[in-house]
Amino acid sequence: EAQVTQNPRYLITVTGKKLTVTCSQNMNHEYMSWYRQDPGLGLRQIYYSMNVEVTDKGDVPEGYKVSRKEKRNFPLILESPSPNQTSLYFCASSFGPWSPQHFGDGTRLSIL
Amino acid sequence: KNEVEQSPQNLTAQEGEFITINCSYSVGISALHWLQQHPGGGIVSLFMLSSGKKKHGRLIATINIQEKHSSLHITASHPRDSAVYICAGMDSNYQLIWGAGTKLIIKP
């Protein structure tokens, strides 16, 4: 089954404790992206990747890192999480930014 | 800065009504996505279009490049259509710029 898998789905953690949210897709998509969704602000892009080893900043990259060592995986890293990064995060993939995107189920992060 | 604006922000209608959600965008957006977010949070891509009109079941999306405007229509609306509908424009750097979403409630 074609899917985008995010883990974990839910996480409660504390300020400053490094965390990684994994994202994996099995559709051989080249384009992958991370978004955060906050009430009243809609979806905002954090980082995107056009292909392996190619990553670019989105609208709100501060406090986040990503890597794209393999086509299927695009982890989101919070080196020193802060409470303002409490949000609902979505990973998405597609053949290209001009193609319909497939979204993961979302990861709800709470940073205390 | 490119912007994408949606209207209305909230829409409540009776089952069976014809629904229209609008999306306006500024210069520099070459294509537009329409997505649906279910009450449980999951997001599904509905359409990606850069010209004309696309139809899938009871959903129809249109775009007018000259007027910088796109619409999403739902015919014979049903309570299961209740969701947040989001449009997103793609700029020249292939970055998506998201509208704030339209919350649709269809009452039986």
Side-chain angles (χ1 to χ4, degrees):
Chain A
E1 180 189 349
Q3 59 186 4
V4 177
T5 303
Q6 293 179 229
N7 278 298
R9 292 291 313 280
Y10 305 91
L11 179 63
I12 301 174
T13 188
V14 295
T15 299
K17 186 177 180 182
K18 180 180 177 180
L19 68 91
T20 299
V21 184
T22 63
C23 175
S24 181
Q25 50 92 6
N26 62 1
M27 295 167 277
N28 202 35
H29 285 164
E30 293 184 343
Y31 183 85
M32 296 187 74
S33 185
W34 276 104
Y35 302 93
R36 61 178 288 174
Q37 186 176 39
D38 302 289
L41 295 176
L43 280 159
R44 292 180 293 169
Q45 192 175 46
I46 303 170
Y47 271 94
Y48 63 99
S49 170
M50 297 286 280
N51 212 327
V52 175
E53 302 292 0
V54 180
T55 63
D56 284 292
K57 295 178 181 179
D59 290 322
V60 288
E62 295 78 20
Y64 304 94
K65 284 174 59 177
V66 293
S67 68
R68 188 91 184 273
K69 293 183 170 56
E70 311 163 274
K71 184 181 267 193
R72 64 182 291 126
N73 295 323
F74 190 44
L76 179 70
I77 303 156
L78 285 71
E79 294 270 5
S80 182
S82 62
N84 64 11
Q85 293 176 299
T86 292
S87 187
L88 178 60
Y89 291 85
F90 287 98
C91 178
S93 75
S94 62
F95 287 112
W98 54 85
S99 300
Q101 294 194 47
H102 296 253
F103 283 81
D105 289 334
T107 295
R108 191 166 291 280
L109 283 183
S110 293
I111 315 294
L112 304 177
Chain B
K1 182 174 168 62
N2 290 332
E3 289 186 349
V4 173
E5 295 185 359
Q6 285 187 241
S7 62
Q9 195 171 1
N10 295 282
L11 178 57
T12 300
Q14 290 296 130
E15 182 173 356
E17 286 189 37
F18 182 82
I19 303 298
T20 296
I21 298 170
N22 296 300
C23 182
S24 297
Y25 55 92
S26 60
V27 176
I29 292 175
S30 58
L32 200 96
H33 288 267
W34 279 103
L35 302 102
Q36 178 193 55
Q37 186 168 25
H38 296 286
I43 299 176
V44 175
S45 182
L46 299 174
F47 297 102
M48 171 73 180
L49 66 167
S50 56
S51 65
K53 175 179 169 179
K54 288 189 177 180
K55 185 174 188 290
H56 182 68
R58 294 180 295 106
L59 300 176
I60 303 165
T62 64
I63 191 166
N64 185 317
I65 297 294
Q66 288 76 21
E67 293 188 5
K68 301 182 184 61
H69 181 266
S70 178
S71 293
L72 177 69
H73 305 286
I74 305 174
T75 61
S77 60
H78 189 276
R80 64 175 175 266
D81 297 325
S82 298
V84 175
Y85 292 84
I86 306 167
C87 66
M90 185 175 71
D91 69 13
S92 56
N93 295 318
Y94 300 116
Q95 190 168 339
L96 289 175
I97 304 156
W98 297 82
T102 294
K103 185 174 182 179
L104 174 65
I105 298 173
I106 303 296
K107 294 185 175 181

